[in-house]
């Protein structure tokens, strides 16, 4: 992978010209008192370096004669490494990660100026670390103040995301291999969950089995907090308590993905705990499944990102009208968004190093994002008949037989040169297949 990291840095440096780009590692997060969460590197930082330690800064200075890629890292320190793990250290940062130069992180303020003073602008994302934001702004202001004497130095700060995130949006073959592995592990976990879920078991039992497989197969763990939502819990989009006992006529909605080598999968399936859909569950499920199929069909190079959502919304709205849950002319219901009490989220998001991955969805009001080969997105329509639904104006009261049903079906889809590839199609979703599993 080191060759790929270097190629990514070279590509970014070719885009920033005479600028200097600065990237900060993710901070440690405290779990309780003096115990920290497992460390997870900032995705932009990892994308460019593969370096997985905190307290680090990467500098890309294409205009510098000797040091185009510089790392500031924690030095080797035996006393601390005994407690918190081995560090790469300064010398190995050059050997293992390809840095032209490396320094202890404590020398950042002293050394950074030499990589900024001949740049025409600074590329830096003003993030949540206010202290570090202030550090960069202080360097910028000091260089601005002395600009008249030198005639060189940065006169603007630009967000790195405007350039880097368009790069991250198109996945390389190496990235796709990681994502296929993340998908394969999650597929196995979902299939196992379908096989063992039954009335009387608790949601957390299913969660435990899913996450056991994630780690057993070499994954880093869950890509996000696993959602294992039975009955009315499925109407809560980000339900994570996972503590209810499942009953005979419940549906179980599982939204769980695996992180593998920093890349993520994201799968949702909904199925009957007792093995058979009720008539109402089946009617709604078939609408969501039809909406997903129509939406996936729109994943083609040259189509707009929004066309995926539009296709799903139309099928969902038509189905809800047919069942009498919505009333009116379909086009008008869509225009006035009267389907939203039952479908309140978008159909897709980008997927990659982050579960909700970077990349724009719209280039201004009249310039939609066009789907291109190498992009990976989720397709996840749903219907949620929440018990206390606030109905849209002029819409009928919801028949009690529908209330409490929540359904979502989600797959990860790669845009290919000729169409698409569903990376997660190994988990059944047809009615007869879902019922047969039980």
């Amino acid at each position: 992978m080191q060759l790929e990291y270097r190629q990514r840095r070279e590509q970014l440096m070719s885009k920033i010209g005479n600028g200097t780009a600065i990237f900060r590692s993710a901070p440690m997060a405290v779990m309780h008192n003096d115990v920290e969460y497992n460390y997870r590197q900032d995705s932009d930082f990892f994308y460019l370096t593969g370096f997985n330690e905190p307290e680090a800064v990467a500098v890309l200075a294409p205009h510098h004669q000797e040091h185009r890629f510089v790392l500031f890292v924690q030095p080797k320190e035996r006393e601390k490494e005994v407690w918190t793990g081995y560090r790469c250290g300064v010398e190995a940062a050059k050997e293992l990660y390809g840095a032209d130069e490396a320094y202890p992180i404590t020398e950042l303020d002293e050394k950074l100026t030499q990589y900024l003073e001949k740049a025409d602008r600074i590329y830096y994302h003003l993030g949540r670390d206010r202290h570090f934001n202030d550090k960069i702004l202080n360097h910028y202001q000091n260089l601005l103040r002395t600009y008249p004497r030198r005639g060189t130095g940065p006169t603007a700060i630009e967000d790195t995301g405007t350039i880097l995130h368009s790069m991250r949006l198109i996945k390389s073959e190496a990235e796709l291999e990681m994502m296929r592995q993340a998908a394969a592990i999650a597929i196995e976990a979902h299939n196992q969950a379908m096989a063992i879920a039954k009335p009387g078991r608790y949601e957390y039992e299913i969660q435990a089995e899913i996450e056991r497989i994630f780690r057993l197969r070499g994954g880093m763990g869950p890509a996000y907090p696993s959602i294992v939502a039975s009955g009315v819990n499925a109407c809560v989009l980000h339900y994570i308590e996972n503590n209810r006992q499942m009953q005979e006529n419940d549906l179980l909605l599982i939204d769980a993905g695996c992180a593998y080598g920093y890349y993520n999968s994201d799968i949702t399936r909904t199925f009957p705990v007792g093995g058979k859909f009720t008539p109402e569950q089946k009617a709604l499920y078939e609408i969501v499944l039809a909406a997903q199929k129509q939406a996936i069909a729109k994943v083609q190079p040259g189509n707009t990102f929004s066309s995926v959502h539009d296709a799903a919304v139309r099928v969902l709205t038509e189905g809800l009208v047919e069942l009498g849950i919505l009333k009116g002319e379909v086009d008008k219901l869509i225009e006035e968004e009267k389907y939203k009490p039952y479908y309140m989220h978008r159909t897709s998001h980008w997927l990659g190093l982050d579960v909700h991955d970077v990349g724009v969805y719209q280039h201004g009001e009249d310039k939609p994002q066009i789907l291109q080969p190498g992009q990976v997105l989720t397709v996840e329509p749903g219907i949620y008949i929440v018990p206390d639904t606030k109905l849209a104006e002029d819409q009928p009261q919801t028949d009690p037989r529908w209330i409490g049903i929540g359904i979502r079906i989600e797959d990860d889809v790669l845009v290919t040169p000729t169409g698409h590839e569903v990376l997660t199609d190994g988990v059944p979703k047809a009615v007869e297949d879902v019922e047969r599993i039980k």
Side-chain angles (χ1 to χ4, degrees):
M1 283 293 292
Q2 284 306 315
L3 175 60
E4 178 141 346
Y5 295 130
R6 180 165 63 81
Q7 290 172 339
R8 293 170 184 172
R9 293 192 296 268
E10 292 293 336
Q11 184 180 356
L12 179 62
M13 286 192 285
S14 72
K15 293 175 180 291
I16 67 174
N18 205 48
T20 294
I22 303 168
F23 297 89
R24 170 81 156 133
S25 63
M28 295 295 296
V30 175
M31 187 176 183
H32 49 76
N33 197 11
D34 59 350
V35 177
E36 295 161 330
Y37 285 99
N38 288 340
Y39 185 68
R40 205 278 185 184
Q41 185 60 277
D42 174 81
S43 293
D44 283 348
F45 192 97
F46 189 83
Y47 180 79
L48 292 167
T49 67
F51 190 78
N52 194 34
E53 293 181 20
E55 293 299 315
V57 171
V59 177
L60 300 182
H63 51 83
H64 197 278
Q65 290 186 349
E66 298 178 82
H67 307 153
R68 302 174 80 241
F69 170 41
V70 181
L71 278 174
F72 293 84
V73 302
Q74 296 180 95
K76 299 289 289 181
E77 195 169 348
R78 179 172 175 77
E79 291 78 8
K80 292 187 177 180
E81 290 179 67
V82 167
W83 289 93
T84 59
Y86 297 113
R87 297 175 179 175
C88 169
V90 175
E91 288 305 315
K94 293 191 285 185
E95 297 169 13
L96 298 178
Y97 295 93
D100 298 317
E101 185 56 273
Y103 304 103
I105 188 66
T106 52
E107 296 182 13
L108 178 65
D109 275 332
E110 175 191 346
K111 304 291 187 183
L112 185 57
T113 300
Q114 65 180 298
Y115 302 111
L116 296 176
E117 60 189 2
K118 293 185 178 179
D120 58 9
R121 65 185 55 211
I122 297 171
Y123 290 84
Y124 171 71
H125 174 67
L126 290 164
R128 296 176 183 149
D129 187 339
R130 291 188 178 182
H131 175 72
F132 195 76
N133 291 344
D134 289 342
K135 185 186 294 289
I136 300 304
L137 289 171
N138 284 339
H139 275 280
Y140 171 60
Q141 289 168 335
N142 287 337
L143 288 165
L144 271 182
R145 191 161 42 248
T146 58
Y147 180 88
R149 294 200 300 270
R150 296 187 324 274
T152 65
T155 56
I157 296 181
E158 185 171 334
D159 194 299
T160 52
T162 57
I163 297 175
L164 184 62
H165 293 171
S166 63
M167 291 170 51
R168 282 180 54 187
L169 190 53
I170 305 298
K171 304 311 189 270
S172 69
E173 283 304 316
E175 290 179 288
L176 291 175
E177 181 57 34
M178 295 287 190
M179 297 188 72
R180 288 192 174 95
Q181 188 61 32
I185 296 170
I187 287 167
E188 179 182 347
H190 274 265
N191 286 339
Q192 176 68 359
M194 285 186 175
I196 67 170
K198 61 181 180 180
R201 300 198 77 168
Y202 285 84
E203 295 165 344
Y204 56 72
E205 295 180 70
I206 311 306
Q207 176 186 2
E209 184 66 8
I210 289 169
E211 295 179 4
R212 181 187 75 87
I213 291 173
F214 288 169
R215 291 295 286 145
L216 183 67
R217 300 298 179 227
M220 298 170 68
Y224 49 90
S226 299
I227 298 168
V228 184
S230 63
V232 71
N233 291 340
C235 294
V236 179
L237 298 183
H238 291 166
Y239 170 82
I240 56 173
E241 285 79 6
N242 301 344
N243 56 14
R244 180 177 177 274
Q245 188 178 39
M246 296 177 287
Q247 306 301 316
E248 177 64 33
N249 288 322
D250 283 347
L251 291 179
L252 180 61
L253 184 157
I254 300 176
D255 187 339
C258 177
Y260 182 86
Y262 266 77
Y263 288 84
N264 301 288
S265 56
D266 188 356
I267 304 175
T268 307
R269 290 293 186 269
T270 310
F271 58 92
V273 171
K276 291 289 181 182
F277 289 102
T278 67
E280 291 77 17
Q281 291 169 350
K282 184 177 179 180
L284 290 173
Y285 184 90
E286 288 179 329
I287 292 170
V288 176
L289 182 58
Q292 199 213 24
K293 288 180 177 178
Q294 287 295 317
I296 289 174
K298 291 292 185 180
V299 180
Q300 304 276 346
N303 283 350
T304 64
F305 181 89
S306 59
S307 68
V308 179
H309 178 68
D310 294 343
V313 165
R314 178 160 294 277
V315 175
L316 293 173
T317 304
E318 289 171 348
L320 290 171
V321 168
E322 188 174 336
L323 294 179
I325 297 173
L326 286 177
K327 179 183 69 175
E329 194 272 319
V330 170
D331 286 341
K332 190 172 183 182
L333 291 171
I334 293 173
E335 180 185 351
E336 297 178 353
E337 298 185 331
K338 291 190 174 179
Y339 61 86
K340 276 198 168 181
Y342 306 109
Y343 181 49
M344 60 291 293
H345 60 80
R346 301 291 292 182
T347 303
S348 299
H349 59 76
W350 303 124
L351 184 68
L353 276 171
D354 293 304
V355 176
H356 287 235
D357 208 21
V358 295
V360 299
Y361 297 103
Q362 188 83 13
H363 299 277
E365 187 174 342
D366 300 321
K367 293 182 179 179
Q369 174 67 269
I370 302 300
L371 296 178
Q372 303 171 55
Q375 295 171 341
V376 181
L377 61 153
T378 64
V379 180
E380 51 176 318
I383 291 176
Y384 315 90
I385 315 295
V386 182
D388 56 352
T389 298
K390 184 178 180 181
L391 300 172
E393 187 179 358
D394 300 326
Q395 290 304 303
Q397 289 294 319
T398 307
D399 190 312
R401 66 196 177 107
W402 304 112
I403 291 177
I405 299 176
I407 296 165
R408 182 165 67 253
I409 307 171
E410 177 182 21
D411 281 296
D412 306 340
V413 186
L414 165 67
V415 184
T416 67
T418 58
H420 62 259
E421 175 190 347
V422 181
L423 302 178
T424 50
D425 64 356
V427 187
K429 57 187 175 182
V431 170
E432 59 272 20
D433 293 333
V434 170
E435 290 188 328
R436 189 180 300 129
I437 283 176
K438 304 303 295 181

